[in-house]
């Protein structure tokens, strides 16, 4: 519960907030654009290239690649919802963001994070069917079911994240208008609220457990089934080939959940031991690192996509 400040330090609902970036790193913030700028550029180019290749090549219109397209589209949205404002703050210094725009950014950041987590779960289930029930894969996994899965993930994200901005919008008074963050994260805004924020804190915790917790359990269960199926295979060569089909997905899972869990745990339980600049830096890396790495991982390790990209590059090179 937030303590109510003295009346002369209380602000009515502001027309804008001021994002300060990463507190304590004022002198080095501009240099961080050399880290986050290329990450955002990689996100745009890599995910854009994946979506373009899968759009123009009919042989890639398969359920597995449709899931990859969902992941690439989500990564594009997630990176774009954070990176432009982040780079502006790092390069130009603290900047104002309208109150309504702050709530909109809050919604999209958390909703797209929930969608990405769900897509990773769907990909794990897809790999479990492909390895364990290969003969029935084309019957069990269809384009129509991928479409239903995409709709379900979008509806889940919207329904569980909408309360975030609504829970913030109910507050009329704030103890400051300066957000010590690079984007409008839910808890960063809640820290400025005057009033009882217990509902916000409890809902944030419940949402993390309900989304990431359930998705991680589902992914773990899927890989348990994959491990059982692989161990029943006759030779080491066959086992290695079967498990190799999951290697890209495992790398993507680690890139998404490891920094995410570390950022979450440091925020919830390490406030007094982990410096705030470190926590905020990690939260930005968590949102921008997976969108930058995922197209490299899948582009390098998925033969159909790699070959098509090489064909496009070779064709364009031959034109000069």
């Amino acid at each position: 519960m937030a303590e109510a400040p003295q009346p002369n330090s209380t602000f009515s609902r502001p027309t804008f907030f001021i994002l300060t970036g990463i507190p304590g790193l004022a002198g080095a913030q501009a240099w961080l654009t050399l880290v986050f700028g290329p990450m955002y550029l990689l996100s745009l180019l890599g995910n854009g290239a994946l979506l373009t290749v899968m759009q123009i090549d009919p042989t890639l219109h398969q359920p597995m690649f449709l899931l990859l397209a969902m992941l690439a589209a989500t990564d594009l949205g997630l990176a774009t919802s954070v990176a432009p404002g982040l780079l502006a703050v790092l390069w130009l210094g603290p900047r104002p963001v309208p109150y309504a725009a702050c709530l909109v950014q809050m919604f999209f950041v958390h909703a797209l994070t929930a969608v990405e987590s769900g897509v990773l779960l769907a990909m794990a289930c897809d790999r479990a069917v492909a390895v364990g029930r290969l003969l029935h894969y084309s019957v069990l996994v269809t384009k129509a079911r991928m479409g239903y899965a995409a709709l379900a993930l979008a509806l889940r994200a919207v329904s569980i994240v909408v309360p975030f901005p609504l829970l913030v919008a109910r507050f009329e008074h704030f103890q400051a208008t300066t957000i010590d963050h690079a984007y409008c994260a839910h808890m960063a805004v809640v820290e400025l609220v005057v009033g009882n924020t217990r509902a916000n804190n409890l809902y944030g915790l419940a949402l993390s457990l309900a989304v990431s917790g359930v998705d991680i359990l589902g992914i773990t269960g899927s890989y348990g089934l994959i491990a059982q199926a692989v161990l029943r295979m006759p030779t080491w060569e066959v086992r290695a080939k079967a498990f190799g089909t999951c290697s890209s997905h495992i790398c993507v899972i680690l890139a998404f959940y490891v920094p995410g869990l570390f950022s979450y745990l440091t925020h919830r339980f390490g406030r007094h031991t982990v410096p705030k600049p470190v926590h905020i830096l990690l939260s930005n890396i968590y949102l921008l690192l997976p969108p930058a790495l995922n197209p490299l991982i899948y582009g390098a390790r998925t033969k159909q996509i790699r070959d098509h990209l090489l064909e496009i590059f070779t064709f364009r090179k031959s034109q000069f």
Side-chain angles (χ1 to χ4, degrees), residues 7-206:
N8 61 3
S9 64
T10 299
F11 296 84
S12 296
R13 180 181 294 173
T15 57
F16 61 86
F17 290 110
I18 298 176
L19 295 172
T20 63
I22 303 173
L25 298 179
Q29 283 198 142
W31 292 102
L32 289 176
T33 58
L34 299 177
V35 176
F36 291 115
M39 288 172 68
Y40 183 45
L41 185 61
L42 277 175
S43 301
L44 292 178
L45 296 178
N47 290 295
L50 284 180
L51 290 172
T52 301
V53 167
M54 286 183 280
Q55 173 66 29
I56 64 179
D57 188 351
T59 64
L60 299 180
H61 296 175
Q62 304 171 27
M64 180 182 73
F65 295 108
L66 293 178
L67 284 172
L68 181 54
M70 290 166 54
L71 183 66
T74 305
D75 282 337
L76 270 178
L78 185 59
T80 301
S81 67
V82 174
L86 167 65
L87 295 174
V89 171
L90 294 179
W91 187 253
L92 302 175
R95 69 182 186 94
V97 56
Y99 177 83
C102 186
L103 297 185
V104 170
Q105 185 186 45
M106 180 188 303
F107 168 78
F108 276 105
V109 168
H110 292 288
L112 290 170
T113 302
V115 170
E116 178 135 353
S117 180
V119 171
L120 293 179
L121 172 61
M123 295 175 83
C125 295
D126 174 77
R127 291 299 83 203
V129 176
V131 174
R133 303 287 298 277
L134 181 58
L135 296 178
H136 303 91
Y137 180 82
S138 60
V139 176
L140 296 174
V141 183
T142 63
K143 293 181 182 179
R145 288 178 178 173
M146 287 298 102
Y148 293 139
L151 179 61
L153 291 175
L155 291 176
R156 182 187 76 156
V158 170
S159 62
I160 62 179
V161 174
V162 160
F164 268 157
L166 295 180
L167 285 171
V168 173
R170 67 193 174 99
F171 293 106
E172 296 289 340
H173 299 284
F174 293 78
Q175 49 187 313
T177 59
T178 300
I179 302 175
D180 289 331
H181 216 298
Y183 65 91
C184 291
H186 173 249
M187 292 310 300
V189 178
V190 169
E191 289 177 354
L192 306 181
V193 165
V194 174
N196 188 339
T197 61
R198 182 174 298 175
N200 297 70
N201 296 329
L202 291 177
Y203 190 78
L205 178 61

Side-chain angles (χ1 to χ4, degrees), residues 189-243:
V189 178
V190 169
E191 289 177 354
L192 306 181
V193 165
V194 174
N196 188 339
T197 61
R198 182 174 298 175
N200 297 70
N201 296 329
L202 291 177
Y203 190 78
L205 178 61
L207 180 62
S208 298
L209 295 175
V211 176
S212 296
V214 170
D215 290 349
I216 289 174
L217 286 176
I219 291 171
T220 303
S222 297
Y223 272 94
L225 295 175
I226 290 172
Q228 287 183 341
V230 168
L231 291 175
R232 289 197 298 266
M233 293 178 179
T235 65
W236 281 107
E237 290 77 9
V238 176
R239 294 175 186 175
K241 184 177 180 180
F243 200 72

